[in-house]
Amino acid sequence: MNIRRKNRLWLALAVLAGLALTATLVLYALRSNIDLFYTPGEIVYGKRETHQLPEVGQRLRVGGMVLPGSVKRDPGSLKVTFTVYDAEAEINVSYEGILPDLFREGQGVVVQGELQKGDSVVAKEVLAKHDENYTPPEVEKAMQDNHRRPASFYKENAS
């Protein structure tokens, strides 16, 4: 093999190694920014298709309805705890900050945060459902499923 061909081979291998390293770093960066969407039922019982439960410490988004009578505010700070429910389960959410104007009991919310032990979420962001905005199909389906059972069902069966 002559020297010219050898140099081309090394150049081609260096370019391929650079592309592989770039692709690896991009995928690693995207992995840390992915927040998977779950309903309260999927957090408790697992995803419908795979039955895979989210892990404690995992960042996720949870969509559901705010359980009437569950909002508790700390009078000395901006801490708020409330329960988000769907047709299958309910989870507790704690949040510190100013809630959106449209946030209220019985309304739909999407909570972005980190899953803790005991099926509770520490929220970093709370989004209230707004009728004029586009809603992704999976969120819309989850919100429609929430109306299969009334909120009173969860209050009666909470104990």
Side-chain angles (χ1 to χ4, degrees):
M1 182 183 285
N2 68 21
I3 193 94
R4 192 173 185 189
R5 232 182 230 183
K6 195 181 250 185
N7 287 341
R8 284 184 185 169
L9 178 62
W10 284 113
L11 179 65
L13 290 175
V15 168
L16 286 175
L19 288 173
L21 179 64
T22 302
T24 302
L25 290 175
V26 167
L27 290 174
Y28 180 76
L30 289 176
R31 184 182 71 105
S32 65
N33 288 328
I34 292 176
D35 295 327
L36 299 176
F37 179 81
Y38 287 87
T39 62
E42 290 173 337
I43 290 176
V44 174
Y45 303 114
K47 286 282 193 182
R48 286 173 182 81
E49 303 84 22
T50 62
H51 301 288
Q52 182 177 2
L53 292 169
E55 299 174 10
V56 172
Q58 179 178 338
R59 287 179 31 181
L60 45 79
R61 290 184 185 190
V62 181
M65 307 290 281
V66 178
L67 186 66
S70 69
V71 178
K72 308 274 188 277
R73 298 175 190 269
D74 183 11
S77 68
L78 294 176
K79 291 182 182 176
V80 179
T81 60
F82 55 94
T83 302
V84 176
Y85 75 97
D86 68 356
E88 299 169 348
E90 59 184 46
I91 60 161
N92 295 319
V93 177
S94 60
Y95 176 69
E96 185 168 357
I98 299 173
L99 291 168
D101 291 337
L102 295 174
F103 178 88
R104 60 185 54 91
E105 295 175 348
Q107 287 288 99
V109 294
V110 175
V111 176
Q112 182 175 347
E114 192 173 293
L115 184 63
Q116 304 294 311
K117 289 183 180 178
D119 295 329
S120 65
V121 174
V122 175
K124 301 207 182 323
E125 185 177 16
V126 176
L127 305 170
K129 185 174 186 277
H130 193 283
D131 294 334
E132 294 176 1
N133 291 342
Y134 168 75
T135 304
E138 63 270 9
V139 175
E140 186 66 35
K141 182 183 180 316
M143 299 306 269
Q144 288 173 355
D145 288 346
N146 286 337
H147 296 290
R148 283 191 278 163
R149 294 183 189 155
S152 59
F153 172 82
Y154 295 98
K155 286 184 179 178
E156 294 166 3
N157 296 321
S159 1

